[in-house]
Amino acid sequence: MATIDTHSARPNSSSPATDEHEIIFTSFGMFIIDEIHHLDGTSQYDIIGGAGTYAAYGARYFLPYPLSKGVGWFVDAGSDFPQAIKEELFSLQTTMIFREDQTRLTTRGWNGYGENEFREFRYTTPKKRIVMEDVMSTKLLESRTFHVICSPERAQDLIEGIVEQRKSTKKDLPLPVIAWEPVPDLCTPEHLDACLAVLPMVNILTPNAAEAAAFFGLREPFEKESIEAIGLRFLPFMREDAAIVVRAGSHGCLILSKGHEPLWLEAYHTPFPDRVIDPTGAGNTFVGGLCAGYVLSNGDIIEASIYGNVAAGLSIEQVGLAKLALPNDDGQPELWNGSEVMDRVREYKARIDLSRIL
C-alpha cells in the first residue's frame, strides 16, 4: 500500500510563497535502516539511512515548509518498520511516497568504518530499488531535478525513460536536471565505456574521488592535484553546459566545467573537525543539497556546491540524520541541529571569501 505524505503542520511564515505542487527534487535512491559499526568498536542500530533518504534530507534542509513539498522520494516499509521512524519521516512534510508491504522486511544495511573514512557496506535484507515505473505513476515525474544513483547502464536507461516520458506527457515542462552519482561497486574499468557513453545525458556528474579513480583502475587519490587530474578525464565527454562536482571528503569538493579553471570549495567543517561524528551518508546528502541549490540559484553550480557542502556538514554532526525543529508560536524559525541553515550558508560564504577564489 502506497501513501503520499500529506501530513499537515504549521507553515513557516518566513518562507516565500510557492506553488506547493512544484517538485524540485526527486531521488531514485532507496530508504534503508542501517546498523553502523565504528573503528573504536562502538555500534548503533535502527538508524535511518539509505542514499535516497540522505539525499532527500540534503534537499529538505533548504526547502522549509511549504517548499518542503518539493522534495520527492520513496520509502518502502516492511513488516519490521519502526513506528518512531515512520513518525519522524512524516514530520518532514515532503512528497514522500510511503509504501507498506507486510510480506517483506524493510531493506537494511550493515556499515563498517576503518582508517581514512574507509567504509564497508552490505545489505542484510533484500533490497527494493526504485524503478522508472514507480516515478511515472506519480507527480514526481514533473521534478525539476533527479538524483540518479546507480550503474552507468542503469543510469542511461533511467535518463532515457525520464526524457521520453517528459517529452510525451509533460510537453509544457522543460527537461529536468540530471545529477548522476555512480555506485562504488560498479565504478570499474569494465564499466568505463558505459560511463563515458552516459555523460552527454548528464547535467551534473558527482562521484567521490575514490569512485572517479576506480573507473580507471586507480586507487583513491588523496592529493588535490591527483583528484583534479582524474576528474578532468571525464570532462571532454560532458556537454558544454554541464559540470563535474567531485566529492572529496575533508578536502570539500572540486568543481570542473568546460572553459573554467578547476575550483575547490573547502569542506564545511574544515575549521572545526571535532564536530565531525559520523560520515555516513555525507556524499548522498551533498547531492541533495547540490540539486536544491542548483534550482534555487537558477543553475549556478558554485552556489549549488556551497549548498552541497553545507548539507554534508549537517549530515556528519551526529550518527544518523540531522534533527529538525519546526517553527513555533514564539517566532522560532525552522532549525536543523539548532541553527538556521541559511545562517550556515552565509557563514560559510564569508569564511571562504568567494571574491578571492573566483
Side-chain angles (χ1 to χ4, degrees), residues 251-253 255 263-267 302 305-306 309 348 352 357:
H251 284 311
C253 69
I255 304 171
L263 176 63
W264 283 94
L265 296 178
E266 69 176 42
I302 297 175
S305 298
I306 288 172
N309 273 348
Y348 178 81
I352 64 174
I357 62 178

Side-chain angles (χ1 to χ4, degrees), residues 35-50:
E35 58 180 85
I36 301 173
H37 303 274
H38 299 280
L39 186 60
D40 63 5
T42 59
S43 301
Q44 286 86 24
Y45 298 88
D46 278 355
I47 303 298
I48 298 173

Side-chain angles (χ1 to χ4, degrees), residues 6-36:
T6 56
H7 182 79
S8 61
R10 191 191 328 276
N12 182 349
S13 60
S14 65
S15 299
T18 181
D19 177 359
E20 66 177 358
H21 298 295
E22 181 181 38
I23 305 299
I24 293 173
F25 171 81
T26 292
S27 178
F28 275 93
M30 296 185 296
F31 173 90
I32 298 174
I33 296 178
D34 280 326
E35 58 180 85
I36 301 173

Side-chain angles (χ1 to χ4, degrees), residues 117 269 272-279 316-318:
E117 298 182 4
H269 282 304
F272 20 81
D274 57 309
R275 297 187 192 176
V276 177
I277 304 300
D278 180 12
I316 63 179
E317 293 178 350
Q318 64 285 306

Side-chain angles (χ1 to χ4, degrees), residues 172-307:
D172 56 325
L173 295 177
L175 291 179
V177 171
I178 305 294
W180 177 37
E181 178 185 356
V183 289
D185 55 332
L186 296 176
C187 294
T188 65
E190 291 75 20
H191 291 273
L192 177 60
D193 287 344
C195 168
L196 301 180
V198 80
L199 293 186
M201 306 178 184
V202 172
N203 302 89
I204 305 171
L205 170 66
T206 178
N208 64 30
E211 292 158 356
F215 273 118
F216 300 99
L218 302 173
R219 293 182 178 180
E220 179 179 3
F222 293 101
E223 301 296 328
K224 286 186 175 181
E225 294 78 7
S226 299
I227 296 171
E228 288 181 19
I230 292 170
L232 287 168
R233 294 193 188 190
F234 297 99
L235 196 57
F237 299 90
M238 304 286 289
R239 299 202 305 245
E240 292 300 316
D241 60 347
I244 301 169
V245 183
V246 182
R247 298 169 282 114
S250 59
H251 284 311
C253 69
L254 167 66
I255 304 171
L256 300 170
S257 58
K258 293 182 178 180
H260 298 88
E261 292 296 314
L263 176 63
W264 283 94
L265 296 178
E266 69 176 42
Y268 179 77
H269 282 304
T270 295
F272 20 81
D274 57 309
R275 297 187 192 176
V276 177
I277 304 300
D278 180 12
T280 304
N284 311 130
T285 310
F286 177 97
V287 181
L290 176 79
C291 289
Y294 196 83
V295 172
L296 295 173
S297 67
N298 294 313
D300 185 328
I301 193 63
I302 297 175
E303 184 80 359
S305 298
I306 288 172
Y307 279 47

Side-chain angles (χ1 to χ4, degrees), residues 104-143:
R104 64 181 296 272
L105 295 174
T106 307
T107 303
R108 291 178 178 264
W110 183 98
N111 299 263
Y113 282 94
E115 299 286 352
N116 296 318
E117 298 182 4
F118 172 79
R119 176 188 179 225
E120 181 183 356
F121 175 83
R122 65 175 181 268
Y123 292 101
T124 59
T125 60
K127 64 181 180 180
K128 180 177 174 61
R129 70 183 185 182
I130 312 306
V131 298
M132 186 63 213
E133 289 73 18
D134 296 328
V135 173
M136 286 169 53
S137 61
T138 71
K139 190 173 179 61
L140 303 189
L141 182 61
E142 302 174 6
S143 184

Side-chain angles (χ1 to χ4, degrees), residues 157-185:
D157 289 343
L158 287 175
I159 296 167
E160 288 176 345
I162 292 167
V163 171
E164 178 182 348
Q165 287 298 314
R166 285 285 279 262
K167 286 182 175 179
S168 62
T169 64
K170 305 290 181 182
K171 296 179 181 179
D172 56 325
L173 295 177
L175 291 179
V177 171
I178 305 294
W180 177 37
E181 178 185 356
V183 289
D185 55 332

